[in-house]
Amino acid sequence: MQQNQQNTGLVSKQKTKRNNWVDTALCLGLGLLCLAGTVMLFGIRYELNDDAIISNIAAGAYGTGTQYLVYVNVLLGWLLKPFYLLPGSLNWFVLLLLAGGVVCFTLLGRLLVQKLGRLAGLSLFVAFLALVGVDFFQRFHYVKYAGLFLTVGLVLVLQNLGHYNKGLAAGLVLALLGSMLRFQQFFAIGGLAAALLLYKFFTLDKPKKIKAAVGVGLLVVLAFGAKGIDTMAYNTHEGWATYARYNALRTEISDFKLQFATGPEVLQPLGYTATDFEMLQTWNFYDGDVFSASALQEVIAALPGNTPGRALRQALTMGSSMLYARPAGFLFGAVLLGWLFLSNKKWWPALLGTLAILAAEILYLCWQGRLPPTIHFSLTMAAFIFCTCCIKLPQAPQKNWFSFVAAVLVLCSIPSFIGFKDAADTYWESRPPREAEFISFTQNKDTLYLADVDLVDAANGYNVWTAKPKGYFENIVFTGSWLAQSPFQQQALQSHGLNNLYRDSIDKEDVIYLDFVYRALKEDYLRQHYAAGASLQRIEEGVTLHAYAARTGVPAA
């Protein structure tokens, strides 16, 4: 009798193990299918130019120091270095994140199958890929990947809380990788998971609570330790330390404070004119004299902040839009409805706590004036996953009802697919041929080109699969962007005898402006600060780019 029970238990374990492998293979196949389908139907593009700049830094297109990826941890820069030494021009930064995304989606699918059963779990997983995965892959952005890695990593930590096993180790690795991609996401996503982690923690016995505390503590130590190494790497390098201080001030102005300014009059007490104010608004303020670090500190102090009423109104709008904005919102709303109607109420504290933290984070980010679409997307995705962890369906055929809801969501994604397709076609058709024009400029290393900040996208390229070759940007400096004052740009300027980008460009034969929007603004700026008779003379006309030289004593064109 005992032998039969042992045999039955062994068979049951083997069956469970086999089912787990089958579920993993199904989820992996669906994740790969989502990636392949997105590439074939819509293509993959950069949602913002940040990822192109990061990729080109890692590839050496700006020069040496390829581990300094600015917003991405320097340890990841060191990890990528050997890959960019391999033959070819593959964009290993993008490939790493895409592979990590497929792994995270596979783990998420396994979670849904474990929570809801194979039919309901896979149905909801397909809906997630249709409404979130396509958006995630089609509009590539490292901040979204940071949110995904942190979310799935924290879910694994939650599942294995109180244990030391492979699941906990995998969760720590993914969460650490997410924090290294974008450290601020560690606070946003980590804070969102706090209610779930605390709820699970208090249900454990004392020995498991100790293990849980050690596991979470280890994650905090790893994340802050990696951040500490990153900070030290910048502070111990004179050029990058100067850049880090300047970039923090630039970010404070461009990304936060400037949007609340009503007009140029707010900076008039500091002696700045309407032209200076417009230069700030267009990110063309890469001028170490007029807009030095100390000057930017005064600008920050003079600019107004957000108002409580405006922040609250925006928070209510952004919070409600999580239920319908972008396809991911439909899925989040459906999961909330499914939880309300199908789940038992055991997990009420965890779910309500998660939603309360979500509301507080949205309000705080709106108050700061920093809730861009990528962060909004990350919070929506994380909220969906964390709320799914609170679902515990009763033993009933209602699981089929949940599968029906998931199937309806998949059908609802058809209009989204049409929108994706139209947007993708418009995006690729609207890309002007400026990237091709840049090739002739970058090959002429004897000339320094000062490129308009609006040309960053075209110069960095639209192809996510390849990065620019080494040294591509050695003679191209952008008059703005978040590389302002970086050692890359400083070295390019100094190699052509420039200490100040604007002042020293006047009457210099080997310095050319590439512009198509802000020529008149820069001309006014040069006259106001450096030479009353300065003008930008067109010396070459391209298809969409025009070349200008800063000259004095020549009538304006």
Side-chain angles (χ1 to χ4, degrees):
M1 179 72 176
Q2 185 177 2
Q3 183 66 33
N4 289 336
Q5 290 178 343
Q6 290 177 347
N7 290 337
T8 302
L10 181 60
V11 171
S12 178
K13 288 182 179 180
Q14 291 176 341
K15 183 178 180 181
T16 300
K17 187 176 181 179
R18 184 171 62 251
N19 287 337
N20 287 339
W21 278 108
V22 170
D23 292 336
T24 301
L26 287 171
C27 294
L28 176 60
L30 289 171
L32 290 172
L33 181 63
C34 178
L35 173 58
T38 301
V39 172
M40 290 186 294
L41 292 175
F42 313 115
I44 295 180
R45 67 176 178 88
Y46 294 121
E47 185 158 354
L48 298 172
N49 59 43
D50 301 10
D51 299 277
I53 296 177
I54 292 171
S55 299
N56 289 325
I57 292 175
Y62 289 95
T64 57
T66 58
Q67 70 272 22
Y68 291 98
L69 303 181
V70 185
Y71 290 126
V72 176
N73 195 287
V74 69
L75 292 175
L76 277 179
W78 282 109
L79 175 66
L80 289 168
K81 265 181 176 289
F83 293 96
Y84 282 102
L85 294 177
L86 296 174
S89 57
L90 289 176
N91 192 347
W92 292 102
F93 175 73
V94 169
L95 293 176
L96 171 67
L97 298 197
L98 288 177
V102 172
V103 170
C104 287
F105 284 151
T106 301
L107 294 171
L108 177 60
R110 280 289 309 277
L111 165 70
L112 295 174
V113 170
Q114 291 172 2
K115 292 287 294 183
L116 308 173
R118 180 174 290 175
L119 178 60
L122 288 178
S123 298
L124 186 57
F125 184 48
V126 170
F128 176 84
L129 292 176
L131 295 172
V132 179
V134 174
D135 186 311
F136 191 92
F137 285 132
Q138 198 266 331
R139 292 184 276 204
F140 183 93
H141 190 43
Y142 77 104
V143 172
K144 290 157 61 173
Y145 279 86
L148 177 66
F149 293 165
L150 274 162
T151 301
V152 176
L154 288 169
V155 167
L156 290 177
V157 171
L158 175 71
Q159 285 184 310
N160 299 280
L161 204 63
H163 300 277
Y164 298 149
N165 53 25
K166 294 179 181 179
L168 176 65
L172 293 177
V173 169
L174 282 175
L176 175 62
L177 180 59
S179 70
M180 291 167 66
L181 276 173
R182 184 64 167 167
F183 188 65
Q184 286 81 350
Q185 286 280 58
F186 182 76
F187 297 101
I189 307 300
L192 202 57
L196 273 171
L197 290 169
L198 286 172
Y199 182 83
K200 179 71 176 290
F201 177 81
F202 287 120
T203 64
L204 301 175
D205 56 32
K206 186 174 181 180
K208 288 186 177 181
K209 282 183 178 178
I210 295 175
K211 290 183 177 180
V214 171
V216 174
L218 180 59
L219 173 59
V220 173
V221 169
L222 289 172
F224 278 89
K227 180 61 178 176
I229 293 173
D230 182 68
T231 302
M232 183 176 64
Y234 281 86
N235 289 338
T236 54
H237 187 290
E238 182 179 355
W240 283 108
T242 301
Y243 165 77
R245 289 191 292 270
Y246 191 85
N247 189 55
L249 297 169
R250 181 207 61 77
T251 302
E252 181 74 12
I253 292 174
S254 298
D255 296 352
F256 298 95
K257 299 293 290 287
L258 200 59
Q259 61 184 300
F260 304 124
T262 56
E265 63 276 0
V266 298
L267 297 183
Q268 286 179 354
L270 299 179
Y272 291 109
T273 65
T275 297
D276 297 328
F277 183 78
E278 192 173 351
M279 288 287 281
L280 284 174
Q281 287 186 310
T282 59
W283 279 35
N284 288 286
F285 57 88
Y286 182 22
D287 186 336
D289 293 342
V290 178
F291 295 112
S292 62
S294 59
L296 292 185
Q297 289 177 325
E298 295 179 346
V299 170
I300 290 172
L303 289 173
N306 203 356
T307 63
R310 179 165 49 190
L312 182 59
R313 287 192 299 271
Q314 186 183 9
L316 291 173
T317 301
M318 298 297 287
S320 62
S321 70
M322 295 188 78
L323 301 178
Y324 61 84
R326 266 182 160 173
F330 291 108
L331 194 61
F332 178 44
V335 167
L336 289 181
L337 290 175
W339 186 91
L340 289 172
F341 288 103
L342 296 178
S343 177
N344 61 39
K345 304 304 183 284
K346 176 183 177 181
W347 285 80
W348 265 40
L351 181 124
L352 295 179
T354 301
L355 295 180
I357 294 172
L358 176 63
E361 287 188 358
I362 291 175
L363 181 59
Y364 172 76
L365 290 171
C366 289
W367 169 260
Q368 291 291 311
R370 189 57 178 158
L371 188 57
T374 52
I375 298 297
H376 190 248
F377 177 89
S378 298
L379 290 176
T380 305
M381 177 185 63
F384 158 75
I385 295 173
F386 292 148
C387 289
T388 301
C389 291
C390 298
I391 291 178
K392 188 177 177 66
L393 294 181
Q395 299 296 325
Q398 289 175 326
K399 291 183 180 181
N400 295 329
W401 185 89
F402 204 93
S403 300
F404 171 75
V405 171
V408 171
L409 286 170
V410 173
L411 292 175
C412 290
S413 68
I414 293 177
S416 299
F417 279 8
I418 296 174
F420 272 130
K421 182 62 176 172
D422 292 342
D425 291 344
T426 300
Y427 175 84
W428 293 113
E429 291 172 359
S430 64
R431 299 302 96 184
R434 299 185 192 121
E435 185 179 357
E437 290 186 73
F438 263 99
I439 296 176
S440 62
F441 298 125
T442 187
Q443 291 175 343
N444 183 14
K445 299 300 184 182
D446 294 331
T447 300
L448 177 68
Y449 293 96
L450 307 180
D452 187 279
V453 68
D454 282 26
L455 301 177
V456 171
D457 287 341
N460 280 282
Y462 304 112
N463 182 3
V464 303
W465 302 110
T466 61
K468 296 300 183 185
K470 295 184 184 302
Y472 185 89
F473 289 106
E474 285 182 348
N475 66 322
I476 295 179
V477 171
F478 295 107
T479 56
S481 88
W482 50 262
L483 282 179
Q485 297 285 3
S486 68
F488 298 135
Q489 305 286 54
Q490 293 293 90
Q491 184 177 353
L493 289 174
Q494 291 170 5
S495 65
H496 287 267
L498 276 71
N499 293 314
N500 179 289
L501 181 149
Y502 287 108
R503 180 191 64 227
D504 299 336
S505 68
I506 301 174
D507 291 327
K508 195 163 178 54
E509 294 296 331
D510 60 344
V511 179
I512 302 298
Y513 283 83
L514 296 180
D515 212 312
F516 77 113
V517 176
Y518 299 114
R519 185 196 65 81
L521 173 63
K522 290 174 185 167
E523 195 172 62
D524 290 342
Y525 184 84
L526 289 172
R527 291 171 178 172
Q528 177 179 301
H529 290 285
Y530 299 121
S535 63
L536 290 177
Q537 299 295 315
R538 182 177 296 184
I539 60 174
E540 184 179 341
E541 186 170 348
V543 180
T544 57
L545 293 179
H546 309 301
Y548 300 87
R551 297 287 183 263
T552 55
V554 179

